[in-house]
Amino acid sequence: MSKKAYLVKGDFISSPKPDQLVLHEDATILVEDGRISEIYEDAPKGASDLEVLDHRGKLIIPGFADVHLHAVQYVTRGLGYDKELLPWLNDYTFPEESRFKDPAYGEVVFKDVARDLWAAGTLHCAIYSSLHTDASLQLMDKLARAGLSAYVGKVNMDRNSVEALEETTEESMEETLRFLEGAKAYADKDVLPILTPRFAPSCSDELMSWLGQKCQELDLPVQSHVNENFGEIAWVKELFPQSRDYLSVYEDFNLLPQGRTIMAHCIHNTEEEMKMFADKDVMIAHCPDSNANLASGIMPAGEMLDAGLRVGLGSDIGGGNRLFIGHAIESAMRLSRLLWFQTDHAYRTISFAEAFHMATAGGGAFFGKTGAFLPGYSFDALVIDDSAFTRYRPLSLFERLQKFIFAGDDRQIAVRYRKGQALAKPLFD
Ligand code: GUN
Ligand code: FE
């Protein structure tokens, strides 16, 4: 059987490695069965009867990956940013998440989340639902219908919540199994389940042990939060006195599967924890907006990259307020520059290429070969019509990318391709 193949023309730019930008201006990419086979700097030689998708004059970048956000906080994003993490969770977040007990609420909110992720060009995400199984499956359904690739977590939390948002240890276990069963329906759409102990303070030892067992038995990935806020870290020390540090709590319960763990925030880490991130090949979800909004601190992104860690960007909706990952790129750069200045240059700034890498190939690595224009990679791309930015003066390809990230938004995204297919706007009704 012949392969489905076509050519794509345009101005391509991607960042396969942290401090590398690869530019292919007025180039042609051969896509076969949804994957990039070849990149021609000029038109391929010889006559070809292949279909041509002609985006000449447009900027083409990899689709974005958001490695940490909460679908159930979409409605309350932007609220309560005069608080720190723990009161913010209790006063805003937990009460809002309790509303997802009602399937009618999830039905409307998740349509908005999926449509807005599609609009923002976030083709891959690792996303939390609430503790409610039905809501979590509804979220999977909406993401699958939007054509997006995702890891979705039914949150586990059997202690330290508010009355309206509680599950017992037994319920948490039973509902996780029901979630994993229901999730099977979406596997062929690249919408997959991920174990999600909310954070160590939300889970009893018994629940953590059980989740660790399931993780090993069923070979499942894990996502959670670590080292976000000093009050949180001190609380974890009290709750788990036997563990060396916060990250070790997860390791002690077998919840850091090799290369298959996403840890959000990772701001205040010990040297041993830095080593453990590397040993377990943890995907660090850098969430600069949330870290600033909740006064959690500034993750030293440059030093994390220098340590060889894998780093992706997270919008962390609703600790973060903007879904567009370009905004997280902007915030990651800004915070690194403030950290450099305020510490008398003890920490380094990150480059544009590093921040763009985190938003694309960096975070994308959790989902497979995506996020860069390289042979063998999935053709997951955004076509950007930036004519509004180039009409007054010409810009280089690199300048066009900067302009789109810092001054643009989803309005410039003309076409989204995932696995080589253009994604139509999801129409849920
Ligand atoms: N830690 C535990 N839960 C949460 C959450 O919902 N948001 C953030 N930012 N941190 C958390
Ligand atoms: Fe979070």
Side-chain angles (χ1 to χ4, degrees):
M1 214 172 75
S2 70
K3 288 185 173 179
K4 181 166 170 15
Y6 57 82
L7 300 169
V8 191
K9 288 179 183 286
D11 298 326
F12 299 87
I13 185 163
S14 73
S15 174
K17 292 197 187 121
D19 206 11
Q20 180 190 37
L21 278 175
V22 180
L23 285 65
H24 302 284
E25 199 153 7
D26 201 11
T28 303
I29 285 186
L30 171 62
V31 177
E32 291 183 289
D33 287 341
R35 290 199 177 273
I36 297 168
S37 309
E38 290 213 47
I39 301 161
Y40 308 96
E41 297 303 333
D42 303 307
K45 304 245 176 330
S48 158
D49 51 9
L50 290 176
E51 183 189 355
V52 176
L53 306 179
D54 191 354
H55 298 302
R56 275 178 296 179
K58 302 226 170 34
L59 187 63
I60 305 185
I61 66 173
F64 293 125
D66 186 340
V67 292
H68 183 76
L69 79 160
H70 301 257
V72 290
Q73 297 172 20
Y74 199 49
V75 173
T76 48
R77 72 194 189 282
L79 302 182
Y81 296 160
D82 47 4
K83 294 182 183 291
E84 281 191 63
L85 174 68
L86 300 175
W88 174 80
L89 285 174
N90 280 315
D91 296 353
Y92 282 92
T93 306
F94 292 163
E96 171 63 14
E97 291 193 14
S98 74
R99 299 179 70 189
F100 288 83
K101 186 175 186 336
D102 174 9
Y105 189 54
E107 187 65 21
V108 287
V109 174
F110 295 153
K111 282 180 186 169
D112 280 359
V113 170
R115 190 201 52 235
D116 293 353
L117 283 166
W118 171 90
T122 300
L123 306 185
H124 298 86
C125 68
I127 188 164
Y128 290 49
S129 176
S130 55
L131 60 78
H132 309 99
T133 301
D134 294 330
S136 308
L137 295 172
Q138 268 177 314
L139 175 60
M140 292 185 108
D141 177 62
K142 302 296 173 289
L143 294 166
R145 283 165 62 184
L148 305 175
S149 139
Y151 282 105
V152 177
K154 172 237 173 293
V155 166
N156 293 98
M157 43 192 300
D158 68 341
R159 63 171 178 176
N160 293 320
S161 184
V162 296
E163 210 179 295
L165 187 71
E166 279 182 331
E167 55 178 7
T168 63
T169 309
E170 290 69 35
E171 277 165 353
S172 192
M173 296 172 184
E174 279 165 22
E175 289 299 299
T176 300
L177 294 178
R178 190 162 78 81
F179 169 65
L180 293 173
E181 193 53 39
K184 289 178 183 165
Y186 307 102
D188 65 345
K189 302 273 177 37
D190 301 321
V191 175
L192 302 165
I194 182 165
L195 290 178
T196 306
R198 179 178 203 115
F199 67 157
S202 292
C203 299
S204 64
D205 287 33
E206 190 186 354
L207 181 56
M208 292 283 267
S209 297
W210 184 85
L211 288 169
Q213 264 172 31
K214 288 295 144 200
C215 170
Q216 292 190 313
E217 212 176 288
L218 305 173
D219 193 20
L220 289 165
V222 171
Q223 61 180 354
S224 195
H225 299 83
V226 79
N227 291 337
E228 178 175 3
N229 166 289
F230 286 142
E232 170 212 27
I233 295 168
W235 194 22
V236 170
K237 243 192 191 94
E238 279 172 34
L239 292 170
F240 298 93
Q242 70 284 16
S243 289
R244 186 190 66 197
D245 46 44
Y246 193 166
L247 186 62
S248 301
V249 174
Y250 297 111
E251 169 61 2
D252 293 346
F253 289 104
N254 298 312
L255 282 166
L256 295 181
Q258 186 74 31
R260 305 200 70 208
T261 306
I262 301 175
M263 281 288 151
H265 303 291
C266 311
I267 306 170
H268 311 288
N269 314 303
T270 64
E271 268 177 40
E272 287 96 343
E273 286 174 316
M274 287 291 285
K275 196 168 170 304
M276 193 175 271
F277 286 136
D279 288 348
K280 296 289 171 181
D281 197 14
V282 170
M283 172 66 70
I284 309 289
H286 181 26
C287 306
D289 283 316
S290 171
N291 297 345
N293 289 338
L294 298 176
S296 301
I298 302 179
M299 192 193 88
E303 284 63 29
M304 310 281 277
L305 289 170
D306 292 343
L309 303 181
R310 293 202 287 158
V311 186
L313 287 180
S315 66
D316 195 22
I317 297 293
N321 48 315
R322 302 261 180 221
L323 200 59
F324 178 55
I325 284 295
H327 190 76
I329 295 176
E330 172 186 332
S331 295
M333 286 188 68
R334 276 194 183 153
L335 289 195
S336 93
R337 299 178 78 76
L338 291 175
L339 185 63
W340 171 82
F341 184 83
Q342 292 288 357
T343 59
D344 218 1
H345 311 185
Y347 291 90
R348 76 167 176 88
T349 59
I350 55 170
S351 66
F352 181 92
E354 285 174 323
F356 184 63
H357 168 85
M358 291 180 200
T360 52
F366 201 76
F367 302 85
K369 282 190 157 183
T370 181
F373 298 129
L374 293 175
Y377 272 54
S378 179
F379 187 65
D380 300 329
L382 309 178
V383 179
I384 313 296
D385 180 350
D386 62 340
S387 49
F389 298 141
T390 52
R391 59 194 278 230
Y392 300 110
R393 53 163 281 190
L395 297 172
S396 70
L397 188 45
F398 179 38
E399 287 172 334
R400 288 169 64 195
L401 176 62
Q402 294 174 63
K403 193 80 185 164
F404 166 63
I405 295 297
F406 279 88
D409 54 44
D410 46 280
R411 285 171 297 181
Q412 287 83 43
I413 306 178
V415 189
R416 299 140 185 90
Y417 290 100
R418 195 173 81 77
K419 285 185 160 176
Q421 301 228 331
L423 295 181
K425 180 174 180 168
L427 295 173
F428 290 113
D429 298 306

